[in-house]
Amino acid sequence: MNRFMAFVRKEFLHIFRDWRSMLVLLAYPVILVLLFGFAVTTEVKNVRVGILDMSEDGITRKIVDRIAANPYMTVVSQTKDIRTIYDNFDRGKTDVALVLGNNFANDLLHSGSASVQILVDGTEPNQAVIRQQYVSGILSAVARDEYGNHADTRPTINVVTRMLYNPQQKSEYNFVPGVIGMVLLIVCAMMSSMSIVREKETGTMEVLLASPLQPWCIVTAKLIPYFVISSFNLAAILFLSFYVLDVPMAGSPACFLGVTLVYILVALTFGLLVSTLVRTQLAAMLLSLLLVVPTVYLSGMAFPIESMPKVLQILSAIVPARWYVDAARKLMIQGTDAVNVAGDVIAMAIMECVLIVMSLKMFKVRI
């Protein structure tokens, strides 16, 4: 019995000494529970609303006040210029816009009906429908409060909804940019990390480090082939997206290509960082696969970041896929200009610099 307990104690010590095992056994389940508990939600919050009020009468002011008081919505702009509304959509600053025409209250009172237009960012169809329902519900509530509960006697507010960027409400428009980001990140990080760790396992890294080349030259030479292969992967994914899934490229293809290549560099450099932390190919593969969960749940690929708690919104900022998915949607679906994705590119460039510095600092020139 003493021998058996000694073996049990030995196994516990082996696990406790390996921080990677502790990460998988103890930290990862906690992370999964927190993500599923807070990030996975069908509730849409923090809807950013733009208002174009050409009437500015008592009824329209009550509508605007009711929207501003709603805990699920925030009025981000009020204007009389429709171009400002569309510019805010292109910049990703507005989720839904309410267009109130001239003589709104007068039309309700004398004609018995008035029309409003709701513009919705349709790149995420399910969320777009919920956002449109939020605004429509407020319009109905204001009409009921002002003119009574009898539907046959109170004036009618005719709602005309327009889904921008995705009028057919195809779910592919939402998921394809996210899938591209997830596939490229996992493949690039896994392959580059395993390539370098393989050299350590086989003992050839010592030979490479003893060569006249500097360590950074060796690492760069190993990453370049994966950069080229990832570019071919990107071409294959885009071919399937355009010709099989019918996902458009509304923006500049050259700009999209440039943003994606920056993202591939970030993924490859992350794989380099992983290779400095582990010693076996299996550990490198497992650590790279751990990227799947934060990439899916914190990138905005499946669930809106705006609806998450503030802590998870802050954590999502260190997920490279968040910035790439946002830029890809703007370029592929919305057809926005390059200036509107500059913030996403800058964020990825900062990540690339940080990852390079950390990787080179942790890279051991002696085995």
Side-chain angles (χ1 to χ4, degrees), residues 249-268:
M249 177 59 73
S252 168
C255 183
F256 177 81
L257 180 61
V259 171
T260 305
L261 293 180
V262 172
Y263 179 69
I264 290 175
L265 282 176
V266 173
L268 290 173

Side-chain angles (χ1 to χ4, degrees), residues 10 14 24 26 30 42 57 76 89 108 152 155 161 194 251 288 303-304 310 353:
K10 178 187 72 69
H14 276 307
V24 174
L26 299 179
V30 174
T42 57
D57 53 49
V76 294
F89 273 114
L108 277 179
D152 55 345
T161 302
M194 291 180 63
S288 300
F303 305 98
K310 286 294 183 181
C353 295

